[in-house]
Amino acid sequence: MKPQFPSEQSESGEFQRQEDAFREWISNDGSTSYPAVAERYHLYVSLACPWASRTVIFRKLKGLEEAIGMTVVDPIRDEKGWAFRNPSRGTTSASSFQSTDPINGFQYLSEAYAATDPNFDGRVTVPVLWDKETKRIVNNCEDDICRMFNDAFNAVAQNKDVHLFPKEIEDEHAKLADFLYENVNNGVYRAGFATRQRPYEISCRKLFEALDQLETRLAESRYLFDNRIVEADWRLFCTLVRFDVVYHGHFKCNLRRIIDYRNLQSYLMDLYQQPGIADTVNFDHIKRHYYMTHIEINPTRIVPIGPAIDLTKPHGRDKIS
């Protein structure tokens, strides 16, 4: 059994995520060769991918839809990688998305990687922030892209007052973000892509220990840092919203569901009901990607019809001071 890419699997059966290949920076002060101007950059994403979804959320919250274009790839990734296909292929969702690449006419996202580095031989990932002027990838790291959307592009953002990296909690925020990445965001993958029992159990138990800690934290705080939504909240949201749908069953993270956690479930509903966020979530894409792409885990490629989830019910989080 192989995980996402052969080099990402250790001999002991652990999943080891590859490093992001492109980490150039867009600035608003002339300090880099990439200025933060409107309509120069284009975002390639998958609505199934939690890493890419965080950049979609930031683009939405900052009001950058007119300044930065976006193209959604097909949810099913095959041996050729992320592709641009007719969205009606096997879909059960009424929502639509841009099925072809209007910027370069690419058929596969790998073409963007090859155009940027002809020698690139790693796994092609989303998100990708593309520069239409130099015709190359500027950055494929979701952490960097979110930071640039928040900071560098503020002059062209419609929602300039939205700031998701508060200076006054910078150190504590960074520490929590690292905790979330290691134990939750990447933790579900370390469990799901483990190919031996021991690394699976270690990762899965660490994941639920982290969720238990977060459940306690959210008992007395509406969001991770009191009543203000910050980047860490959206980092956690992107994993929580996929948890009961795919990670619980497909990745065998099944000690508990998120719906079994009183505070985590209501917190998830609270974030989902924030203006514009539901538009960034596509459960059809999420389920079809995981169940139809990871054939080593799900060789039949059957996509489950459930679970039935309603994130629109009253959450009651506003009662927490």
Side-chain angles (χ1 to χ4, degrees), residues 252-265:
K252 304 178 183 67
C253 299
N254 60 0
L255 280 178
R256 286 174 291 281
R257 302 165 300 170
I258 298 304
I259 200 172
D260 298 324
Y261 288 95
R262 178 181 178 180
N263 297 316
L264 279 170
Q265 176 65 16

Side-chain angles (χ1 to χ4, degrees), residues 65-255:
E65 290 98 329
E66 294 183 6
I68 300 172
M70 186 178 78
T71 297
V72 178
V73 298
D74 189 87
I76 302 171
R77 194 186 65 228
D78 58 21
E79 66 279 358
K80 293 184 179 180
W82 295 107
F84 303 97
R85 302 189 184 99
N86 188 328
S88 64
R89 173 183 159 186
T91 185
T92 57
S93 172
S95 60
S96 62
F97 64 96
Q98 187 118 40
S99 60
T100 57
D101 174 22
I103 304 303
N104 299 291
F106 291 149
Q107 290 186 306
Y108 293 93
L109 191 57
S110 58
E111 296 173 61
Y113 279 72
T116 308
D117 179 6
N119 297 316
F120 179 81
D121 62 353
R123 177 167 56 87
V124 172
T125 64
V126 286
V128 160
L129 190 58
W130 176 265
D131 178 19
K132 294 187 286 185
E133 185 170 309
T134 62
K135 300 186 185 304
R136 59 184 289 114
I137 296 172
V138 178
N139 202 297
N140 73 327
C141 172
E142 68 282 348
D143 291 340
D144 293 352
I145 295 172
C146 286
R147 174 67 76 170
M148 289 186 283
F149 283 2
N150 184 79
D151 299 342
F153 285 96
N154 205 48
V156 297
Q158 293 180 354
N159 303 324
K160 294 178 174 58
D161 58 334
V162 173
H163 188 63
L164 297 160
F165 294 94
K167 286 290 185 182
E168 61 271 22
I169 59 168
E170 187 173 12
D171 292 342
E172 188 179 357
H173 186 190
K175 183 178 179 180
L176 181 59
D178 288 342
F179 171 83
L180 292 173
Y181 171 79
E182 180 65 27
N183 298 286
V184 181
N185 304 138
N186 200 42
V188 293
Y189 285 92
R190 289 176 65 86
F193 286 142
T195 56
R196 294 189 182 179
Q197 188 70 27
R198 180 171 172 76
Y200 155 73
E201 289 190 11
I202 291 174
S203 297
C204 199
R205 293 188 189 284
K206 286 179 64 177
L207 164 66
F208 281 95
E209 288 172 2
L211 291 176
D212 291 345
Q213 291 180 43
L214 293 165
E215 173 73 1
T216 300
R217 181 177 186 136
L218 291 167
E220 299 179 354
S221 177
R222 181 171 180 178
Y223 305 114
L224 293 175
F225 289 94
D226 300 320
N227 291 323
R228 182 175 185 177
I229 303 176
V230 297
E231 184 271 349
D233 291 293
W234 297 118
R235 175 184 291 273
L236 179 56
F237 170 82
C238 288
T239 297
L240 295 184
V241 78
R242 289 163 173 77
F243 200 97
D244 291 0
V245 177
V246 290
Y247 300 146
H248 178 268
H250 185 60
F251 277 177
K252 304 178 183 67
C253 299
N254 60 0
L255 280 178

